[in-house]
Amino acid sequence: MATHVAKRCDAAVCGQCEQPCVLGTLQCGLRLDLREFPELKERQLARGDYLFHASGAFESLYAVRSGMLKVSVLTEDGREQITGFFLPGDLVGLDSVGLRQHASSAAAIDDTVVCELPFAVLERHGQSVPRIQAALFRMLSGQIRREQSTLLLLGSLRAEERLAQFLIDLSERVHSDTQCGSAIGMPMTREEIGSYLGLKLETVSRTLSKMHRDGVIEVVKRGVRIRQVDRLRRLAGLAVRPQGDSAHRRGH
Amino acid sequence: MATHVAKRCDAAVCGQCEQPCVLGTLQCGLRLDLREFPELKERQLARGDYLFHASGAFESLYAVRSGMLKVSVLTEDGREQITGFFLPGDLVGLDSVGLRQHASSAAAIDDTVVCELPFAVLERHGQSVPRIQAALFRMLSGQIRREQSTLLLLGSLRAEERLAQFLIDLSERVHSDTQCGSAIGMPMTREEIGSYLGLKLETVSRTLSKMHRDGVIEVVKRGVRIRQVDRLRRLAGLAVRPQGDSAHRRGH
DNA sequence: CGGCCGTTGTTACCGGTTGTTACCTGGCGT
DNA sequence: ACGCCAGGTAACAACCGGTAACAACGGCCG
């Protein structure tokens, strides 16, 4: 599983400064050179460990190197809402940049390695290196956009559409495109999937079973294999793309 | 209505540089001095006018001076999901900072005045004035947090809870706290409320009627008056606060 | 190695909340 | 006055949640 998700981060070497000496290409193309970050630390998390808690002090962003994290917020009466899953190459903690405390908590869903980026260091470098600052802005906006897509999913789609979009999204983030027959590792439980998608775990299970029966996917242990990408896209309410076309469908 | 929502922005004078010469206090305490922004322009929008469209070029952020805007994204098959309503003091366009194109569109729900802040200008000032840059970061994170709250609303709450939270949120943003008997202007249609809350307009109508019958609120033309704040908070699944307590319930 | 137990996942059935459809009312502008 | 649109109401249907029973898996310990 780690070998799948490492793809987007494979130029990265973190912690002890081995070659190549960059943290890797994060979303939006930020590349960080470790020689400028002597204080960078790597952290290992076991499944279930928390990276930070809501209301804890905000100090750092975290670049995911391998594994998977969930970020969640709580209702006053204790219900958990997962607002996102974070894969290698993603940056966690963007909801607290410039603020004192975290508003959400982040926990490892699988054994996970992250690289800690103290925000004070990023900010200092951003002052002198406009590229770093621009990349920070892009990542913040990117986070907003991803959440807007999730709002659309939760507000407008039905259970089967939500699951289908979720699988396609995961697939595109793990590999770089949605291939047929590609396996997607899903270390999270049905309940966590349901929390993210605004469904109950039984509904998640039912819907996955139905897709399996229909031959669209194959449900394997802690993962899914996509059998018919085009049918899955249709279930998601998305246009069926002819072949490896990278989702630029916006030309005015 | 404009007199209600102007409160958070009443120190502001925009466009022609009258006194006091600041744009006003935006969320997160950003104050902009107009003498530094000679190129600032004010824009008037009539109900229904678009401020920008998805896939249009991103050039500016917009500070809402009066009125109300909706920001929405579209599914591939044409359904609209409203991701937020923007009131005076709010900053619109944060989902595209540092990117080329808008991913969402913004339209006036009421007659609205905004102040255009070209991002290039903000960025330039941010380089030399750390306070401005820090404020930008805070506003971006603030936007992420607000969307996370909405994710929680859409993913975990039922119709009545969603409406109640929506009314409380609106009330707290229009006035600074939730007073009893305070009127809330709601220039948006039932369908737009429903889009934002992930409900159909009939459900919105049903639920508001029920709250009215129960004596919790009073539904008036294009607005609502809160009759029993504590019962409304209970409907929203929120703790009932003793008296004007400003929502800091996070002590570890 | 094997059995036990807790966790996670699957399936079935029923009921409730919400979506659908249809029709009506009232206000506003032409 | 007329038509149009936002809003309200009601009956019905669909979808999803709630509950429960069971199966599969994994860890622990004898």
Side-chain angles (χ1 to χ4, degrees), chain B residues 116-137:
Chain B
E116 181 172 357
L117 309 174
F119 180 65
V121 176
L122 278 177
E123 203 174 20
R124 177 155 40 81
H125 283 268
Q127 295 284 348
S128 50
V129 188
R131 279 186 45 120
I132 290 187
Q133 177 168 321
L136 261 175
F137 281 137

Side-chain angles (χ1 to χ4, degrees), chain A residues 83-109:
Chain A
T83 59
F85 296 109
F86 289 76
L87 276 57
D90 293 340
L91 208 52
V92 180
L94 290 169
D95 56 348
S96 297
V97 169
L99 299 165
R100 297 285 174 82
Q101 300 187 132
H102 285 286
S104 54
S105 52
I109 274 180

Side-chain angles (χ1 to χ4, degrees), chain A residues 1-63:
Chain A
M1 184 149 317
T3 61
H4 289 134
V5 288
K7 282 195 176 177
R8 287 171 57 203
C9 217
D10 51 17
V13 174
C14 190
Q16 274 43 55
C17 190
E18 311 160 29
Q19 295 302 325
C21 210
V22 287
L23 175 59
T25 305
L26 296 173
Q27 290 168 356
C28 305
L30 174 63
R31 297 182 79 90
L32 297 179
D33 192 318
L34 286 188
R35 280 163 300 202
E36 304 183 53
F37 292 86
E39 59 280 76
L40 275 192
K41 281 179 301 195
E42 205 174 55
R43 277 178 65 180
Q44 299 249 2
L45 299 167
R47 180 186 170 88
D49 288 352
Y50 275 82
L51 186 56
F52 53 79
H53 286 274
S55 85
F58 167 76
E59 275 154 9
S60 304
L61 298 175
Y62 298 90

Side-chain angles (χ1 to χ4, degrees), chain B residues 174-237:
Chain B
V174 171
H175 317 88
S176 293
D177 60 284
T178 317
Q179 303 146 312
C180 227
S182 59
I184 312 171
M186 297 203 301
M188 69 290 274
T189 66
R190 297 289 184 261
E191 184 167 22
E192 287 167 331
I193 298 173
S195 169
Y196 177 62
L197 297 177
L199 303 168
K200 291 294 159 189
L201 68 91
E202 292 88 344
T203 305
V204 173
S205 188
R206 251 198 302 249
T207 309
L208 286 177
S209 298
K210 180 174 183 296
M211 288 179 177
H212 192 169
R213 272 198 307 278
D214 295 350
V216 179
I217 61 173
E218 186 177 338
V219 180
V220 296
K221 191 169 58 178
R222 293 267 152 166
V224 157
R225 183 178 301 274
I226 298 178
R227 282 270 167 243
Q228 302 179 262
V229 188
D230 48 353
R231 281 184 66 191
L232 188 61
R233 293 187 64 84
R234 216 168 291 130
L235 286 181

Side-chain angles (χ1 to χ4, degrees), chain A:
Chain A
M1 184 149 317
T3 61
H4 289 134
V5 288
K7 282 195 176 177
R8 287 171 57 203
C9 217
D10 51 17
V13 174
C14 190
Q16 274 43 55
C17 190
E18 311 160 29
Q19 295 302 325
C21 210
V22 287
L23 175 59
T25 305
L26 296 173
Q27 290 168 356
C28 305
L30 174 63
R31 297 182 79 90
L32 297 179
D33 192 318
L34 286 188
R35 280 163 300 202
E36 304 183 53
F37 292 86
E39 59 280 76
L40 275 192
K41 281 179 301 195
E42 205 174 55
R43 277 178 65 180
Q44 299 249 2
L45 299 167
R47 180 186 170 88
D49 288 352
Y50 275 82
L51 186 56
F52 53 79
H53 286 274
S55 85
F58 167 76
E59 275 154 9
S60 304
L61 298 175
Y62 298 90
V64 182
R65 299 282 326 278
S66 66
M68 194 181 291
L69 293 166
K70 65 172 177 181
V71 170
S72 56
V73 292
L74 293 178
T75 58
E76 286 200 10
D77 56 349
R79 283 173 280 184
E80 178 190 46
Q81 173 71 35
I82 294 180
T83 59
F85 296 109
F86 289 76
L87 276 57
D90 293 340
L91 208 52
V92 180
L94 290 169
D95 56 348
S96 297
V97 169
L99 299 165
R100 297 285 174 82
Q101 300 187 132
H102 285 286
S104 54
S105 52
I109 274 180
D110 209 350
D111 292 349
T112 296
V113 179
V114 298
C115 198
E116 181 171 357
L117 309 174
F119 181 65
V121 176
L122 279 177
E123 203 173 19
R124 176 155 42 81
H125 284 268
Q127 295 284 346
S128 50
V129 188
R131 280 185 45 122
I132 290 186
Q133 177 168 319
L136 261 174
F137 281 136
R138 279 199 304 277
M139 285 189 287
L140 283 156
S141 286
Q143 179 70 31
I144 294 174
R145 288 187 176 195
R146 248 165 289 124
E147 288 184 358
Q148 284 183 343
S149 300
T150 309
L151 287 175
L152 189 151
L153 183 146
L154 291 176
S156 303
L157 303 188
R158 289 173 316 151
E160 195 170 45
E161 297 172 315
R162 294 186 201 186
L163 248 322
Q165 282 215 192
F166 174 67
L167 294 178
I168 289 168
D169 179 59
L170 257 191
S171 166
E172 288 179 348
R173 289 165 69 191
V174 171
H175 317 89
S176 293
D177 60 285
T178 317
Q179 303 147 312
C180 228
S182 58
I184 312 170
M186 297 203 300
M188 69 290 272
T189 66
R190 297 289 185 261
E191 184 167 23
E192 288 168 330
I193 298 173
S195 170
Y196 176 62
L197 297 177
L199 303 169
K200 290 297 158 187
L201 66 93
E202 295 89 339
T203 305
V204 173
S205 186
R206 263 191 297 254
T207 309
L208 286 177
S209 298
K210 180 173 183 298
M211 289 178 176
H212 192 168
R213 271 197 308 278
D214 295 350
V216 178
I217 61 173
E218 186 176 340
V219 180
V220 296
K221 192 169 55 178
R222 293 267 152 166
V224 157
R225 183 179 300 273
I226 298 178
R227 283 270 168 242
Q228 302 179 261
V229 187
D230 49 352
R231 281 184 66 192
L232 189 61
R233 293 187 64 85
R234 217 170 290 128
L235 286 181
L238 298 171
V240 176
R241 304 179 304 186
Q243 202 87 20
D245 145 359
S246 284
H248 298 302
R249 197 166 299 287
R250 295 212 171 279
H252 182 106

